[in-house]
Amino acid sequence: MTSVSLGMPSAPPPVLAPRRKTRQIKVGSVGVGSDSPISVQSMTTTPTTDINATLQQIAELTASGCDIVRVACPSADDAEALPIIAKKSQIPVIADIHFQPKYVFAAIEAGCAAVRVNPGNIRKFDDQVKEIARAAKDHGTSIRIGVNAGSLEPGILKKYGKATPEALVESAVWEASLFEEHGFHDFKISVKHNDPVIMVAAYEMLAEKGDWPLHLGVTEAGPAFQGTIKSATAFGALLSRGIGDTIRVSLSAPPVEEIKVGNQILQSLNLRPRKLEIVSCPSCGRAQVDVYTLAEQVTAGLEGMEIPLRVAVMGCVVNGPGEAREADLGVASGNGKGQIFVRGEVIKTVPEDQIVETLIEEAMRIAEEMGDADGEDALKGSPVVSVS
Ligand code: SF4
């Protein structure tokens, strides 16, 4: 059998702008800032007290490409669950703390990689910064100062009237200065708003004021369709200028969907190596096959593909052969048949009802060759964890 050249790029693909220089912090094993790859985060939706369910969801997130996971800690029972979750999670765990400062200390003691604090709604937060900074430093725990439009400090809200970019940034910079006065520098900042325009303006302003790593997020972005577009638009505006070191897409949808969207945003901007990429035409009056169904079936059949693979699914012979030739694998359809291309060469022509299975077979063959070369599974199965 002739071996297939997989077309791995020898130089890094181009990006739109160099990363903004920041200080670098650690969230457990994951570096955040400056030269560290931009990481993707999500948050569990299970009750943190349900340790098994939370660890299962973290395992699913890990398998889908999540780098860092956040868990809520609204009660003493949640705080008690943190040590085992932090220990058993495959990826660094951030505890998300609201209202009660005592849970900040509990999360640090529990071995969480980081703690997210929202200064606007933690009681007497500013008075606690010295102790928080000391405890975090002693345990090697980093912090996220997470300012949110929905919970700005009353004084700042009164001054600005609403959560303007200036208000969000003033709150963040003030809290940053408190941590820095106490000699603590291992923190990143977020200034989230549900309006992408305000959010982008706030992050641009904040990026000018210090070298802090920035966690990007459009808060309460909405259901999957709207939230994906809002997040992609806002993150794209910032990342294309080098601003942003870790991202969280907030969707009213299962957290794995957030990771898929976050990874796709980074891959689209060449900020993360591309994996599976489906190049499919929108179809038009010339289409000789059902392109929508074909593209959906191929995408579903290749879900979980861990190798960089560009698959072209084209509806007719106008642009079909050209795109299929440029891809690693492709089909150009016409007259009830599909010409199957692998790295620019037609390897076979199959009837329309065999196009999907043939593409998937060929993709698996390429994946296996690459998996063998890497010593890894190119396709990953569903993860399962158990807690003893
Ligand atoms: S590839 Fe053919 S069917 Fe698809 S959009 Fe282009 S012209 Fe239309």
Side-chain angles (χ1 to χ4, degrees), residues 23 129-130 132-134 136-138 176-187:
R23 71 183 70 158
V129 168
K130 184 176 178 187
I132 292 172
R134 182 184 296 155
K137 202 170 208 173
D138 288 349
S177 73
L178 291 184
F179 275 100
E180 287 174 349
E181 268 174 29
H182 295 297
F184 189 81
H185 300 272
D186 295 334
F187 60 89

Side-chain angles (χ1 to χ4, degrees), residues 11-12 44 93 100 110 152 171 200 205 284 297 305 332 338 345 347 375:
T44 52
V93 172
Q100 298 261 23
L152 261 182
S171 173
V200 169
M205 206 179 287
C284 73
Q297 288 176 343
M305 182 68 73
E345 304 208 348
I347 58 157

Side-chain angles (χ1 to χ4, degrees), residues 280-289 291 313-320 323:
S280 60
C281 80
S283 186
C284 73
R286 298 185 195 92
Q288 292 168 343
V289 291
V291 179
V313 179
M314 304 297 288
C316 79
V317 291
V318 173
N319 293 322
E323 286 287 0

Side-chain angles (χ1 to χ4, degrees), residues 194 196 218 220-234 249-254 257-258 260-262 265:
N194 62 32
V218 176
E220 294 113 24
F225 177 73
Q226 177 187 292
T228 297
I229 290 174
K230 275 188 172 182
S231 301
T233 307
V249 175
S250 300
L251 300 179
S252 305
E257 298 304 312
E258 299 184 345
K260 285 186 195 164
V261 173
I265 291 171

